[in-house]
Amino acid sequence: MNAGPTPEQERRSTHPLIGIAAEARYLAQRQPAGLVAALTRAGHPLVLLDPESAAPVSLRGMDVLVARGRSEALLDLLGRAEAAGVATVNARAAVAAVLDKAEMARALAAAGIPSPATRVGPLDAIARASRPEDFPMVVKPIFGDNARGVRVVSSRAELARLPWSEPLAVAQPFIPSDGDDLKLYVAGPAVWAVKKPSPIAGRGGPARLVPATPALEALAHRCGRLFGLELFGVDCIETPRGPVVIEVNDFPNYTGIDGVDEQLARHVIGRAAARRTERPS
């Protein structure tokens, strides 16, 4: 006589199975830890995956895989999940679309989204082609996040002396602000607007929630549609002519938003449930 299903098996049969994969550098950050905690409180079975693990990663029975990171191993895991019919948040192609800051800038410009004029090339070539009116200038790596490697230079001479180990750089005009960046955070249909002290300005202070106007919501969703993202952030600078989009980033920390963990969990649970109903029984 066969034993009946265990409580864990029954729970998995009634709840979608959600996988969470994150690079090690994100494990101590607010996300995806907050999402994991909210899903656990909601009683949803989870599988935590290490994309860098040498051991085989099983996707069996998984309805959705949520990933935070940009490594080749994580992108490969997303690709394998999609090939196996697992829903992914964000999709592999969407994450890849915002990895390269040069390609991102070109896509924003081609879509007519307000964004800085961008030059890409070897740093010395950018310096030689620069004119006095091009300064101050923001220089950053093509691949990078969390403001890594971002520099503001005030002259051609300073640009030429800038230590730079990468073959190419992204150069954009410095856009003056009040010292704060405007962050638009998105989880599916939900949009929040947060002001944070700019790392370029070197100011300190907490993030603070501000009204997400219909225009800001429309701008955020426009960026999401352009790159195919579901969980993402849009970094903006406010100007007299309106916000200018500096970057779009997949799965940010959603700093400064109360209750965001539960909102993220609801979005992910909805995606998992939708995928379960799409699959043939």
Side-chain angles (χ1 to χ4, degrees):
M1 182 176 178
N2 293 329
T6 67
E8 177 65 15
Q9 288 172 332
E10 288 183 343
R11 190 160 64 98
R12 291 198 174 199
S13 68
T14 57
H15 289 79
L17 179 58
I18 297 168
I20 307 286
E23 294 174 23
R25 63 191 175 123
Y26 291 116
L27 294 180
Q29 296 191 21
R30 177 170 180 177
Q31 299 299 342
L35 170 61
V36 170
L39 289 169
T40 301
R41 288 192 296 270
H44 279 265
L46 293 174
V47 178
L48 303 180
L49 304 176
D50 177 5
E52 308 291 339
S53 173
V57 175
S58 175
L59 301 168
R60 184 177 179 182
M62 193 173 295
D63 295 290
V64 66
L65 175 63
V66 184
R68 185 165 191 211
R70 300 179 161 200
S71 68
E72 290 184 8
L74 187 134
L75 290 174
D76 177 70
L77 179 59
L78 284 171
R80 287 190 284 122
E82 290 166 7
V86 178
T88 53
V89 180
N90 293 291
R92 184 194 184 283
V95 176
V98 295
L99 282 180
D100 184 322
K101 296 186 187 301
E103 291 291 341
M104 180 198 305
R106 283 190 279 268
L108 289 169
I113 293 173
S115 54
T118 302
R119 286 185 285 170
V120 180
L123 194 69
D124 58 349
I126 293 174
R128 288 194 302 270
S130 297
R131 302 163 298 177
E133 57 266 31
D134 294 329
F135 297 93
M137 177 187 293
V138 177
V139 181
K140 53 191 173 183
I142 286 184
F143 299 98
D145 55 8
N146 295 316
R148 179 186 63 81
V150 178
R151 300 288 185 272
V152 179
V153 293
S154 58
S155 68
R156 177 192 285 182
E158 183 181 353
L159 181 60
R161 294 192 305 268
L162 188 68
W164 200 261
S165 60
E166 304 197 18
L168 299 175
V170 174
Q172 297 173 329
F174 175 79
I175 299 176
S177 73
D178 60 1
D180 285 337
D181 292 339
L182 175 65
K183 306 275 188 177
L184 305 178
Y185 292 126
V186 184
V191 179
W192 300 267
V194 171
K195 283 199 169 185
K196 294 176 65 175
S198 171
I200 291 179
R203 288 179 54 188
R208 59 194 190 279
L209 200 64
V210 297
T213 65
L216 291 178
E217 290 183 355
L219 177 62
H221 286 309
R222 190 177 174 192
C223 291
R225 289 192 299 271
L226 176 62
F227 296 109
L229 292 161
E230 297 177 54
L231 305 181
F232 64 98
V234 182
D235 294 351
C236 303
I237 298 292
E238 290 186 292
T239 75
R241 293 180 141 188
V244 173
V245 174
I246 305 300
E247 289 184 5
V248 179
N249 299 290
D250 58 292
F251 203 167
N253 270 318
Y254 296 89
T255 303
I257 306 171
D258 293 334
V260 73
D261 298 341
E262 283 69 26
Q263 180 69 36
L264 295 175
R266 284 192 290 271
H267 178 77
V268 171
I269 291 167
R271 290 282 281 112
R275 176 48 57 98
R276 175 165 284 202
T277 60
E278 292 167 1
R279 286 178 167 169
S281 56

